[in-house]
Each structure stands twice: as structure tokens, then as C-alpha cells.
Amino acid sequence: MDFLKSAVASAIAKGSSFPFSLGDRVDIGDSIWTLHNGTKRDDGSACSVFTFDTVANKSRLPLAKNAVRKSRTLRHPGVIKVLDTIENETNLYIVTERVVPLLWQVKRRSLSEETAKWGIYTVSSTLKFVNEDASSVHGAVRASSVYTSESGEWKLGGFDILSSMKEDDAIIYTYGSIVPDAARYTPPEVAKGGYEIIKRHPLAAVDAYGLGVLIFEVFNGQFLGGDQIGKTTNIPSSMHQSYKRLCTANPKLRLSPAHFVEQGKKHGGFFRTPLIRLTEDIESLGLKTDTEREEFINELDNLSDDFPEDFFKMKVLPELLKSVEFGGGGPKVLGATLKIGSKLSADEFNAKLTPVVVRLFGNPDRALRVCLLDNLPLMIDNLPQRVVNDKIFPQMTSGFTDVAPVVREQTVKAVLTVINKLSDRVVNGELLKFLARTANDEQPGIRTNTTICLGRIAKNLGQGTRSKVLIAAFSRAIRDPFVHGRNAGLLALGATIDVFTEEDCAVRILPAICPALMDKEKLVRDQANKTLDLYLQRVRKVASTMADTVLPPTAPAEAEPSKPDTRSGTSNDTSWAGWAISSFTNKIASADGEIEPTTATPATKPVEPDTTRSASVPRPTKSSPSAQLDLPKQTLRPIAQPLGRSLSDRPAPTVYEPPEEEEGDDVFDAWGAMDEDEDDSNGVDPFTAAVASPKPTSPDPPTTKAAATPYDDGGEPDFAGWLAAKNQAKGKGTLPKGLGKSASTNTATKAPVKPRVVPAPVKKIDTKPKDEDEDDGWGDAWD
């Protein structure tokens, strides 16, 4: 039957003339009304619709009509706000703000003590208005007559028998007893003498008793009858005395709702709670002084999380936003605003807070900016990515260069919060430029925080700039004079080891870590050892998987009989210099035979001029016995000896001693040439190229006369000619200094050239230290 009534009411409500649409039905217990969730047709806003079937409940029609009339005329913040009333032949409608029955929370016992006190205070204040200002009696105060609005505030309803005591024919006298479940809630004096007895007792006596019943239901869940009234079970101890006076059997001794509020508002009273003070002060926040505003915010900070969130969203938040933007609320009010805003849904946040936050980031007040940055983690999840990237971050960038260190530091810390909402272009472009500035900040704490920030956003950087930027930043941090800055650089390297290649680990990072092993602070030394171990393990792991050599395989040489070699530095020598001596020894041991002299004639014949001899070798004077004896001193090239001789049968090697005046020039010119041609276009310095070349060159001979025959080097590699060709191919016209051919021969045409008559002066070495400005460039890679 109830379903049929609801269906009929809904069908009527769907008519074109009805300005509201009915939704789901809401259970409100024993009542003459049926409650539906509704929607206004004009703007789609939520509302509630109380419907009364005039056909099925004719006997209670006077109660419904009285409720409609009183709802239109009674206006108070603690009373349900009525939007419209509609009456037709079959139904009565009272359209109100969206409300929910308090009875739901009472049955679930889900109300906290502070919220319960706040609600009871609201109902008591409303009853004070009804009794004293309106000179009326509600007559049906109970949990089923109270509702909660969208803001969480308690609203008084149930005006079925609300009557003015100035009227002689008040409806409460005649129809008070037909209210649903009236017997359970009727005061004892009314139960004995009827509602007419109200005239002989204080006006507020009936409502005071009903207020006591409401308090019992709020803290205990359900009121079963008069036997429970006055019991203090679960009721806060601070309310016991006043609560008992509300429930006393003698109506003349009852504490009126007005006096109940007064008792609770005394110093130390049960209504002296932060939530109640907040509700009283919030509407006048913009008119308060700075001191009063600060006290209000302190009260707001003391509120716990179990207070009604809806009230803060609907009532407190709008007033706080007004105070921040227009009332000079400052950072403290902003902090409270953002704390409440963190409990909003994404849609609510975007509608109420996002526009305000964007405007506040453009405010030049430094204290306000620091507060915004501190509370950014509370609201970043609700801010859209486009808003952060296009509107908020461009305003934030001014903080990187602010003159106040605290603003710069908080801006660096805020990067971690907004990094996931920034585009790759902003991260790898504008952001890195600003972090490069703070990495060189005069404040050591800001430099350290920048290093930490880079380590934590490493994975957000682009692959093209990641390793270059991080290695440069962390290497600089390791050399920071601030001990925690150096430690942060080492920690960041250890945390970002996965983003570097093995080559970077071995070539660039390990050399940067090593100086920290000898740091003056043990904290840095210990961390340097830990970081070094991490990178060594990675490099060694990769090196173990590499091939033994990249050289092409060669044909196997013929097996030779093993010969014992007693020289020091053999292949079995494990000393630090063994490899060099061993290599030299093995080469000698594998060369058999004798080195032939440059002359092919026997010793008994006179020595003829050798036309094929190198032009750098001095010519002998005569082929005489004395010349034969002096041969080892004047022969440039040693005599080739037959292979297969033992070491003891080999003749002593000939030694060529060049003229003293040429030695200094050749030696220093060669080192100077390497220094001058250090930066080769192919990235290989002349020293490395010379070592790797298979054609070593010979020093310039002290020639005093041009050779009459074409130059023959006797098989020596023409390194100078090779280098000249190489330089010509690269566009270099001349050979590096110190590596040129002798002036006595032109290797390109092998034609005699004009001999050098005057030797070059000996190059002097300037041992004076260079000025700091004359940097040779070798240290650039470490800076």
C-alpha cells in the first residue's frame, strides 16, 4: 500500500507544472510525512520533499496543514530551510533543503562526543528561540524531529503540533495526542492531565523534557519509555547535572532550553568546545582583528579529524577563502583552508579551491608563497596536470631566484611534489636551468637540497640529458666545502647507479669518487667507500662478461724448442715491473743471428764509400786499419748478425752518440709538438698516434752536407712521410713540431736540398710556475 502511494505521488510530481522531481524515498520512522530526495527542475540542485497523502490520512490532515503553515513563517538558522510548499487535491508538499534524518546516525551510534555536543547546542538554541522569541511550544522534540543538512548542521523539524501560546485554540491542545508514538515521549504531567495542563506550567517545560529525551537518544541510541529518562548512561559527566534538571518530573523545576544553553556556555561548561566556538565565530571572521583571527585559527588547528567534514566544506571553507583573498587572513588562515581542502573530492576541489590557489601563487607575499609550497602535497593530487604545468609552475619559478633563502629552499623542495605534473619539455628545459642556479647557491643547505632533489627526480629526466646533468651535478657536489653537501652527492650517486652506463661508471664517476676516500670527514669517507663498492661491483660484473681481446686472430707461429731464460722479468715474474722487463727480454730471446754491419766488405779489404748508406750516417775518412778499429764509434746502423747464435757469442752492440748541441732541441721539440697538437680532430693526440704507429722515426742526423744520392733508409719506416700525408689529408700543411724529417732530404721527391749550416739554438726550459690564467686544459674535465 505504501508503495502504491509513493508511486502515485511520484506520478503526480512528474507533471509538467510541478517544479521538482521526486527521487528515492527516505526512511524517517513513525511520521505522518513521507520523505523523498528531490531535484529542482530549473537548476538541478538537490532538495528534499516531504509529502502528505490527504486522502489516506484525513484524520491527521490538521497536523499536516499546521506544519505547512508554521514552516512558511518560522525562520531561524536552526530550523529546516523551506524552499516551497505545494498543495493540491490529493497531496501536500513541503520542499526543503536537502536533509537526512538524524535518526540514522542515532541508531548506528556513529556520532562523536564533540559532534553530539555541537548538535545538541544547536537544537537547544533553536528551542530557546521558539520558546522565548516566538512564544511557542514545539511539543514533539525527539530524534525523529531533527535532521542534518548537507553542511552537517542539525536542523529542527517536525512542526506538526507547533503552537503559539498566544492562541486560545492552539492545535497542540486538540491534536497533540494523535501524533505518532506520542505516548512514549509525552511528559509525565501531560500524560496525567492532558495537553491543557501546559497552560498552568512554564511555557518551555514540555520542550525541556523533549530535549532531555533527545540527549538520551543521541548518546544511547534509542529511547524506550519514561523509565529511562534521567539515566546518565554514556552521557558526558559534564552534562549530568543539567541533563537531570531537564528531565525532572516536576515541570516547574525543569531547566528551560535557554537556561540549559546558559549553563553550558559558562567557563568550563560542556558547550565550551572548539567546534561550537568555531560555528559562532566563522561568520564574523572577516571583521576580526589580527589577534582575534589568530586565536580563531589556533582553535581551528586544535580540532580533531572526527568533526563533521561537511560543515567545514560548506560553511567554514568559503569564509576562510574570503579571509585569505580579501580579508588579509595571511598564511595561518591559508594553512587551515588547505587542510580542510585536502578532504574535498577532486570535483569539489576544482570548483572551490583551484581558482583561488592559482591566484594566490601570483601573490607577491613571501609568507603566503612559503605556506603554499609547504601545503602543496595536500592539494597536488586534486590539481589537474594542465593547471600545474601551465599556471602554477610558471608562478613558482620566481621562487628559485628570490632574495629570501627560505623561499628558494622551499621552492626546491616543492619540485618533488610537482615533478609528476610537469611536461618533459619543462622538466628537461626550464626546470634544469633553475636547478643549476640553486646547485651553486651561496647557502650550503640549498645546494645540498638541490643535490637530493636531482637524485630523486633522476628517472623523470630525459635520456639525452640525464647522465650528463647528473654526473656534472654530483661530481660538483662531492667537491662541495659543506660536509653534508659532499655526503649528499655520494648518496645521490649510490641511489642513481641504474641510470648510468657502464662506461660512465668506469670513466667518469669512479674517478670523481676516489678523492672523497681521503676526505677529512669520516662521514664522507665512509659513504665514499660504500658508493665506490657499488660502482666497482657493477663495473667488474660487466667486465667479466667482456671478450678477452678484440684483436683479429693471427696465424700460429712454428713451434720452437723451449729455452730456459734466466733473465729477470720473465713472463713468470709477478713483480710490478715484471711485465715491462719480460716483454723486452722475450723479444731479444726470439731474435736469432747476428746484426750485420752496414758495410758488406770483409775486414781485410779497404772500406769503399757506401752509396746506399743512409744520409744521416757520417762518412768514414779512409779504409785503413785504424778506421776499421774505429768502426763501432762511427757506424750508425749495427751489423746484422746471423740468427741462431747464443747470447754469449753475439758481439757487443754498436752505440751511436749524436752531437751534444742537437740533443736538447730534439727532445723538447718532440714534447712540445705533442702539447701543441694535443687536440686532434679525431680525438687522438700525437703521442698516442706515435705510439700506435708501426713506423717509428729516427732523430734528425747532424748532416753538414747534402747527400748526392737518393735517400735510402735501409728499411726504416718513413714515419715523417706518413705523418705528412696524414696531416695533408686532414688539411694540415705542416708536420707537428719535432716530428719533421731532416732538412737534408726531401722525402717526397728524394732530391737533395740545401744543408742546414747553422744548428738551431738549444731550447731552454722555463721552470717558473705558470700563472693561474695560463691553464693547459688538462684539468677541465674535473671541473
Side-chain angles (χ1 to χ4, degrees):
M1 190 68 180
D2 291 338
F3 174 76
L4 181 60
K5 293 179 182 179
S6 177
V8 173
S10 299
I12 296 174
K14 291 179 180 179
S16 59
S17 61
F18 197 76
F20 306 95
S21 60
L22 297 182
D24 299 333
R25 180 178 175 178
V26 180
D27 182 19
I28 57 175
D30 293 334
S31 175
I32 65 173
W33 298 92
T34 302
L35 178 61
H36 292 267
N37 290 327
T39 305
K40 294 176 64 175
R41 291 184 184 274
D42 53 355
D43 58 2
S45 60
C47 63
S48 292
V49 181
F50 291 87
T51 62
F52 178 81
D53 189 350
T54 58
V55 177
N57 295 309
K58 288 184 179 180
S59 60
R60 294 176 175 175
L61 182 59
L63 299 179
K65 289 187 175 182
N66 181 71
V68 171
R69 184 172 65 254
K70 294 299 181 179
S71 297
R72 290 175 179 173
T73 58
L74 191 63
R75 300 291 181 180
H76 187 269
V79 174
I80 296 177
K81 182 179 180 180
V82 177
L83 304 177
D84 197 2
T85 57
I86 301 173
E87 183 176 357
N88 56 30
E89 297 179 355
T90 57
N91 289 278
L92 294 176
Y93 300 96
I94 302 177
V95 184
T96 68
E97 60 180 322
R98 176 63 63 87
V99 293
V100 175
L102 177 67
L103 198 61
W104 290 4
Q105 300 181 56
V106 168
K107 291 181 178 180
R108 293 195 302 264
R109 303 185 65 176
S110 59
L111 295 169
S112 65
E113 180 178 332
E114 293 298 322
T115 303
K117 288 182 179 180
W118 172 56
I120 293 171
Y121 170 77
T122 302
V123 173
S124 302
S125 300
T126 305
L127 289 176
K128 174 186 175 181
F129 166 78
V130 171
N131 297 152
E132 294 185 354
D133 297 341
S135 301
S136 301
V137 175
H138 186 280
V141 179
R142 64 196 69 171
S144 59
S145 300
V146 181
Y147 299 84
T148 59
S149 65
E150 289 183 299
S151 62
E153 297 174 280
W154 291 18
K155 303 286 186 175
L156 183 62
F159 299 138
D160 300 341
I161 55 175
L162 177 66
S163 304
S164 175
M165 293 296 99
K166 296 179 181 180
E167 300 175 358
D168 294 336
D169 58 345
I171 195 171
I172 191 172
Y173 302 140
T174 307
Y175 295 98
S177 59
I178 65 173
V179 174
D181 210 4
R184 183 154 50 112
Y185 294 98
T186 302
E189 69 274 12
V190 174
K192 293 180 181 179
Y195 280 93
E196 290 288 343
I197 203 171
I198 295 177
K199 300 179 181 179
R200 292 179 288 179
H201 295 301
L203 182 146
V206 175
D207 290 341
Y209 184 87
L211 180 60
V213 173
L214 173 64
I215 293 174
F216 182 87
E217 287 183 304
V218 167
F219 290 103
N220 292 277
Q222 189 176 6
F223 180 74
L224 300 178
D227 295 340
Q228 292 179 322
I229 195 67
K231 292 184 178 181
T232 59
T233 306
N234 298 324
I235 297 176
S237 58
S238 59
M239 299 180 64
H240 284 178
Q241 184 177 359
S242 299
Y243 162 70
K244 289 179 179 180
R245 291 188 61 185
L246 287 173
C247 304
T248 184
N250 188 350
K252 296 182 179 181
L253 298 179
R254 286 178 192 156
L255 193 67
S256 67
H259 287 91
F260 181 73
V261 172
E262 183 180 352
Q263 291 289 331
K265 293 290 290 181
K266 288 183 178 180
H267 182 71
F270 46 85
F271 285 153
R272 300 283 293 183
T273 65
L275 185 57
I276 293 176
R277 287 195 294 268
L278 174 67
T279 57
E280 292 179 343
D281 296 340
I282 187 61
E283 294 182 357
S284 61
L285 180 61
L287 303 177
K288 293 182 180 296
T289 63
D290 293 341
T291 304
E292 293 174 341
R293 188 184 295 112
E294 186 173 357
E295 292 177 356
F296 172 80
I297 297 302
N298 291 335
E299 291 282 353
L300 190 61
D301 291 339
N302 294 331
L303 296 178
S304 59
D305 294 334
D306 59 352
F307 291 137
E309 295 182 3
D310 293 334
F311 176 73
F312 286 95
K313 296 177 183 178
M314 303 291 294
K315 294 293 184 178
V316 179
L317 185 60
E319 296 297 329
L320 291 177
L321 291 176
K322 292 178 184 177
S323 178
V324 170
E325 281 200 273
F326 311 111
K332 295 209 67 172
V333 177
L334 176 61
T337 303
L338 297 179
K339 182 178 179 181
I340 298 173
S342 63
K343 300 179 180 180
L344 299 176
S345 64
D347 295 338
E348 292 173 335
F349 192 96
N350 290 329
K352 298 179 179 180
L353 268 183
T354 298
V356 179
V357 170
V358 172
R359 290 195 296 267
L360 290 178
F361 265 104
N363 195 306
D365 187 0
R366 288 192 177 95
L368 202 61
R369 170 64 62 86
V370 171
C371 184
L372 282 170
L373 296 175
D374 286 341
N375 291 277
L376 198 56
L378 297 177
M379 53 183 173
I380 191 63
D381 291 337
N382 294 322
L383 292 173
Q385 182 175 2
R386 178 175 295 181
V387 172
V388 175
N389 190 78
D390 299 341
K391 296 181 179 180
I392 292 180
F393 182 76
Q395 300 286 351
M396 283 178 55
T397 55
S398 61
F400 289 106
T401 57
D402 196 89
V403 295
V406 64
V407 178
R408 300 198 302 271
E409 184 172 5
Q410 293 301 323
T411 305
V412 171
K413 292 180 180 179
V415 171
L416 300 179
T417 305
V418 302
I419 187 66
N420 292 325
K421 295 288 180 91
L422 301 180
S423 64
D424 293 339
R425 179 184 59 82
V426 173
V427 171
N428 295 287
E430 192 174 1
L431 176 60
L432 287 182
K433 292 179 181 178
F434 284 111
L435 291 179
R437 293 175 63 96
T438 56
N440 295 314
D441 197 274
E442 60 182 7
Q443 297 293 329
I446 297 178
R447 297 196 302 267
T448 303
N449 287 332
T450 302
T451 302
I452 297 172
C453 176
L454 285 171
R456 297 183 64 177
I457 68 172
K459 296 189 180 297
N460 297 93
L461 302 180
Q463 295 183 355
T465 59
R466 180 187 301 163
S467 60
K468 181 179 179 181
V469 170
L470 295 183
I471 293 175
F474 297 158
S475 299
R476 182 187 296 272
I478 295 175
R479 303 192 302 271
D480 197 293
F482 187 49
V483 56
H484 296 292
R486 300 196 297 274
N487 191 55
L490 294 168
L491 288 170
L493 281 174
T496 58
I497 186 173
D498 295 335
V499 304
F500 302 119
T501 63
E502 289 78 10
E503 184 177 359
D504 285 337
C505 294
V507 177
R508 304 178 65 186
I509 298 179
L510 283 175
I513 297 175
C514 288
L517 298 174
M518 297 300 294
D519 196 273
K520 296 180 180 179
E521 298 293 336
K522 186 177 184 299
L523 173 68
V524 179
R525 294 195 301 270
D526 293 344
Q527 186 58 45
N529 279 283
K530 294 178 182 178
T531 307
L532 185 70
D533 290 341
L534 290 176
Y535 279 87
L536 283 176
Q537 290 176 7
R538 182 179 179 188
V539 172
R540 287 170 178 167
K541 182 178 180 180
V542 175
S544 64
T545 62
M546 296 174 65
D548 294 343
T549 181
V550 295
L551 298 177
T554 58
E558 296 182 0
E560 298 181 356
S562 59
K563 299 180 181 180
D565 195 350
T566 58
R567 292 178 178 267
S568 62
T570 60
S571 59
N572 295 327
D573 192 354
T574 59
S575 65
W576 70 273
W579 63 270
I581 303 174
S582 171
S583 176
F584 176 70
T585 305
N586 291 339
K587 289 182 180 180
I588 295 178
S590 62
D592 294 334
E594 297 180 354
I595 300 178
E596 296 182 356
T598 55
T599 58
T601 57
T604 57
K605 292 183 179 181
V607 179
E608 296 296 332
D610 188 1
T611 58
T612 63
R613 182 181 67 254
S614 173
S616 62
V617 181
R619 296 178 180 274
T621 56
K622 294 181 180 180
S623 57
S624 61
S626 60
Q628 296 286 338
L629 295 175
D630 296 335
L631 180 63
K633 295 182 180 180
Q634 300 183 10
T635 304
L636 270 177
R637 197 170 302 279
I639 301 173
Q641 300 179 2
L643 300 176
R645 287 190 179 184
S646 62
L647 294 176
S648 59
D649 295 339
R650 297 175 185 174
T654 58
V655 179
Y656 168 67
E657 297 180 0
E660 296 180 358
E661 61 273 14
E662 297 291 336
E663 179 179 1
D665 191 18
D666 291 342
V667 172
F668 292 109
D669 283 351
W671 284 100
M674 286 185 285
D675 292 337
E676 293 170 4
D677 200 32
E678 176 181 314
D679 187 14
D680 190 77
S681 61
N682 291 333
V684 180
D685 56 15
F687 180 78
T688 306
V691 172
S693 174
K695 296 181 178 181
T697 185
S698 60
D700 292 342
T703 306
T704 58
K705 186 177 180 180
T709 59
Y711 176 74
D712 182 13
D713 57 3
E716 288 187 352
D718 185 8
F719 175 69
W722 170 81
L723 189 57
K726 177 183 177 183
N727 290 334
Q728 186 175 3
K730 295 181 180 178
K732 298 180 181 180
T734 60
L735 294 175
K737 184 178 179 182
L739 295 179
K741 276 277 189 176
S742 173
S744 60
T745 309
N746 190 332
T747 57
T749 60
K750 292 189 178 182
V753 297
K754 186 176 181 179
R756 183 175 58 188
V757 179
V758 181
V762 178
K763 185 177 180 180
K764 295 182 180 181
I765 302 176
D766 187 8
T767 59
K768 181 181 179 180
K770 294 183 178 181
D771 294 336
E772 294 181 358
D773 295 335
E774 299 176 3
D775 190 2
D776 55 5
W778 284 97
D780 293 342
W782 300 95
D783 293 334

